[in-house]
Amino acid sequence: VTCFPVTIAEIEVDVIDSRFLDSGSTLVTMHDKAGNVLKWFASGAGFKRGDSKRIIATVKAHGAYKGRNETIITRAKAL
């Protein structure tokens, strides 16, 4: 059993989408080299679609959206 939050080590990600939400935050959708989907609700991330980044983050939750598994992260930081 995994207890959250869990900090992930450095990971390479590709940004699939980055969009501003009505709530004032930015939803950044990424995937790692293994194809795992990560989502981050950021307060002004500076990540753009097509970017490749090396990040460190904290896993907040695992879930599914439209039948696809995803990991919700928080406190992401580009290295």
Side-chain angles (χ1 to χ4, degrees):
V1 174
T2 302
C3 297
F4 295 103
V6 176
T7 300
I8 9 181
E10 295 179 18
I11 185 170
E12 290 280 340
V13 296
D14 296 318
V15 179
I16 302 167
D17 191 30
S18 179
R19 66 185 127 143
F20 187 74
L21 304 175
D22 291 338
S23 65
S25 61
T26 303
L27 173 58
V28 181
T29 305
M30 305 168 265
H31 64 80
D32 65 12
K33 302 301 178 193
N36 299 307
V37 175
L38 299 103
K39 288 191 176 179
W40 175 34
F41 292 91
S43 59
F47 285 36
K48 299 179 301 210
R49 178 184 290 177
D51 284 351
S52 291
K53 302 269 187 181
R54 185 169 201 74
I55 65 167
I56 188 167
T58 300
V59 174
K60 183 175 180 181
H62 293 289
Y65 179 72
K66 294 188 178 181
R68 289 192 66 184
N69 290 334
E70 60 186 27
T71 300
I72 308 300
I73 61 172
T74 187
R75 298 180 189 96
K77 178 181 173 184
L79 301 174

